[in-house]
Amino acid sequence: MKRIASAAAAILIAAGLTGCGRKNGYEGFTVPEQGGSTLKPVDSIYMENDYTGIVPKKEKVQRTVTSSDGLCRIDIMESYFDVTLDYTSGSYYDVGAAYGEAVNLAYEGYGEACEPYIYENIKAVFSDLDGDYAPIENRAKVFYNSLEKDYRDELDGFADGVKGDSEGFKEDGILSREEAVLMQFVPDALRGTACSAITADGEVTATGERITCRVLEWMLGSDNQICRCHAVVHMKNGDRSFVSVTPLGFMTILTAVNDDGLMLGELDVGSKKMVEYTCEDKKSYTYGMRYALEHFSTAKEATDYLAENASDYPYCVNVIATDPKEAYVAELCVTDEDGATVVRDSSSELNEGVDWDDPHYLCAVNSFAAKGNSDMLTNDEGNIVRWNRYNELFGGQRGLTSDRFKELMTCEKTDNDLTRMRGSGMVHMVIADYSTGRLQAILTGEDGVVPSPEFIDLGSWK
């Protein structure tokens, strides 16, 4: 009762003080207009998508084009281009030229759509070139010259086959030979990707087989133009065959699986020490990934190869690698300032403050995680929230079906600022189900990322 009396007295005193020097108190005071609150309760971050019993959609072929020599066939599907390149019947140059020819047949106005996207990527990195693209051209030449002869021949053929009536770097809406070459090295020369990946081993899945998911986030383009040219490219080359999920015309490896089930995906990593970018005496890590896909059958072989060559790449990067039995993340450090290149697995010791609870899952985001390597997790909100989100959602999951896996991957609402697993720049989300040997994916359409997306069956990786 004493507390109540004291509180009442305080209120009376405060009321008296409020009127001091103001005869009418708050009479006539107008409350200013205020926008709605931007605060969101934590439980509003998530939503429920139900994929139980819903098989991924198999799209129908709308039209088919073939190069004049038959080395490239492109089936135009409803939302992507299904490309087959036949290296068993022609040289690398011939296959590249056939691909360039067929791209122009399959996508009318390809150069007009592709060229502005290239310059948007350039300007995102260089805002002060003022029409002088010599620095970009030099980077492209360095990576081109470092390629093996077969890859150079292939790229020469593609550039010759796809180019329009223009030369050099000129923002004119026509794809030149030089621009077509640079297009293959955007991840190496310009960067600008934000990705994540998670894999579950057979001990925690309903089938007893691995499930791997890789999310690619990139610049969609001012008109979401990259969303109009999703492609699944089947490189048919005997025991060097693989399937790549990438934009049409890009031979760059972003997400790919070979006939043995070796899956690779790259994730950009910034340098904590802000090491100055240099490409002198460097070579393309995306073509290094391609070499690994063509020459190795296991995740360990591939990551060991990439680790051995890490100092030759232009900047720090993670590469997620899985096969039916094992999973690794190659943390590729460019210099000693960033740490030491390591092939991380689920048992690796992590940096202080980085927690991962379930050893049956392996995760990667846009940062190194292994102890001693540059830490862009604990001091980067986007990375640590994304990492913790994966840990929270997947840790402890048992008897995981592919349907439930997809529900977890799409459970974040897309209409808030806290989305981390599939942000507004998501180009694709690719899932490799090792129990079926097939790929399925969300391919972001021109309307951008949607809350309840449809998964598309991309077929077998064999």
Side-chain angles (χ1 to χ4, degrees), residues 181-361:
V181 170
L182 172 65
M183 186 170 75
Q184 309 306 324
F185 301 119
V186 167
D188 301 285
L190 300 175
R191 303 177 60 175
T193 59
C195 310
S196 60
I198 190 165
T199 183
D201 69 32
E203 294 295 318
V204 294
T205 64
T207 63
E209 301 291 341
R210 179 175 301 282
I211 301 174
T212 299
C213 180
R214 181 277 203 283
V215 179
L216 170 69
E217 293 185 14
W218 208 357
M219 182 187 294
L220 299 185
S222 58
D223 193 29
N224 285 354
Q225 55 264 51
I226 201 171
C227 301
R228 296 195 291 271
C229 59
H230 294 292
V232 178
V233 183
H234 306 266
M235 303 275 197
K236 296 298 183 182
N237 195 11
D239 60 2
R240 299 175 67 173
S241 300
F242 65 91
V243 178
S244 178
V245 184
T246 188
L248 183 68
F250 284 65
M251 288 172 282
T252 298
I253 301 300
L254 301 172
T255 307
V257 191
N258 72 13
D259 281 3
D260 295 304
L262 167 61
M263 181 177 187
L264 298 180
E266 54 86 11
L267 302 92
D268 189 3
V269 173
S271 171
K272 182 180 180 181
K273 303 296 183 181
M274 299 306 292
V275 176
E276 184 178 355
Y277 177 93
T278 177
C279 64
E280 296 305 319
D281 300 319
K282 299 292 185 178
K283 58 186 180 182
S284 165
Y285 77 86
T286 54
Y287 273 91
M289 291 168 63
R290 176 168 172 181
Y291 182 91
L293 287 163
E294 293 178 334
H295 291 85
F296 304 116
S297 60
T298 69
K300 189 65 168 65
E301 291 173 319
T303 50
D304 282 349
Y305 167 79
L306 293 168
E308 289 170 5
N309 289 275
S311 61
D312 293 331
Y313 301 137
Y315 65 92
C316 298
V317 67
N318 281 329
V319 177
I320 180 80
T322 68
D323 63 35
K325 299 300 182 183
E326 296 185 304
Y328 301 94
V329 176
E331 298 193 354
L332 306 179
C333 291
V334 176
T335 70
D336 293 340
E337 295 173 276
D338 292 303
T341 291
V342 64
V343 176
R344 174 169 64 88
D345 62 21
S346 60
S347 65
S348 299
E349 193 172 0
L350 304 179
N351 273 321
E352 185 177 354
V354 178
D355 297 316
W356 189 260
D357 298 326
D358 197 329
H360 293 291
Y361 296 88

Side-chain angles (χ1 to χ4, degrees), residues 143-161:
F143 292 122
Y144 171 85
N145 290 333
S146 72
L147 294 180
E148 294 185 3
K149 183 179 184 303
D150 284 344
Y151 297 153
R152 287 201 309 272
D153 289 347
E154 176 190 73
L155 187 44
D156 285 340
F158 176 78
D160 288 341

Side-chain angles (χ1 to χ4, degrees), residues 129-140:
L129 290 176
D130 195 27
D132 178 14
Y133 295 106
I136 303 300
E137 186 174 11
N138 290 337
R139 289 188 181 187

Side-chain angles (χ1 to χ4, degrees), residues 24-255:
N24 296 322
Y26 284 105
E27 186 177 333
F29 176 75
T30 302
V31 178
E33 291 187 10
Q34 302 179 53
S37 173
T38 59
L39 297 177
K40 297 176 183 286
V42 172
D43 63 0
S44 72
I45 296 173
Y46 298 115
M47 61 181 290
E48 281 291 336
N49 280 318
D50 185 6
Y51 293 101
T52 305
I54 300 176
V55 297
K57 179 183 179 182
K58 289 187 177 182
E59 294 192 346
K60 296 180 180 179
V61 178
Q62 308 292 298
R63 183 168 61 94
T64 298
V65 301
T66 306
S67 63
S68 55
D69 56 13
L71 296 179
C72 177
R73 188 191 77 245
I74 301 180
D75 292 329
I76 296 92
M77 314 300 283
E78 297 171 49
S79 59
Y80 68 98
F81 297 87
D82 195 89
V83 181
T84 300
L85 300 175
D86 181 8
Y87 291 82
T88 66
S89 303
S91 69
Y92 274 76
Y93 179 91
D94 292 339
V95 173
Y99 190 19
E101 175 193 348
V103 163
N104 283 330
L105 294 173
Y107 189 151
E108 184 178 355
Y110 175 79
E112 296 175 12
C114 189
E115 199 233 31
Y117 180 76
I118 295 172
Y119 282 94
E120 287 178 17
N121 275 270
I122 291 174
K123 292 172 182 176
V125 179
F126 296 96
S127 59
D128 55 353
L129 290 176
D130 195 27
D132 178 14
Y133 295 106
I136 303 300
E137 186 174 11
N138 290 337
R139 289 188 181 187
K141 285 181 178 178
V142 167
F143 292 122
Y144 171 85
N145 290 333
S146 72
L147 294 180
E148 294 185 3
K149 183 179 184 303
D150 284 344
Y151 297 153
R152 287 201 309 272
D153 289 347
E154 176 190 73
L155 187 44
D156 285 340
F158 176 78
D160 288 341
V162 78
K163 70 177 181 179
D165 188 18
S166 183
E167 294 182 0
F169 287 87
K170 188 190 310 178
E171 209 171 345
D172 57 5
I174 303 172
L175 190 64
S176 70
R177 188 184 193 283
E178 293 80 4
E179 291 163 347
V181 170
L182 172 65
M183 186 170 75
Q184 309 306 324
F185 301 119
V186 167
D188 301 285
L190 300 175
R191 303 177 60 175
T193 59
C195 310
S196 60
I198 190 165
T199 183
D201 69 32
E203 294 295 318
V204 294
T205 64
T207 63
E209 301 291 341
R210 179 175 301 282
I211 301 174
T212 299
C213 180
R214 181 277 203 283
V215 179
L216 170 69
E217 293 185 14
W218 208 357
M219 182 187 294
L220 299 185
S222 58
D223 193 29
N224 285 354
Q225 55 264 51
I226 201 171
C227 301
R228 296 195 291 271
C229 59
H230 294 292
V232 178
V233 183
H234 306 266
M235 303 275 197
K236 296 298 183 182
N237 195 11
D239 60 2
R240 299 175 67 173
S241 300
F242 65 91
V243 178
S244 178
V245 184
T246 188
L248 183 68
F250 284 65
M251 288 172 282
T252 298
I253 301 300
L254 301 172
T255 307

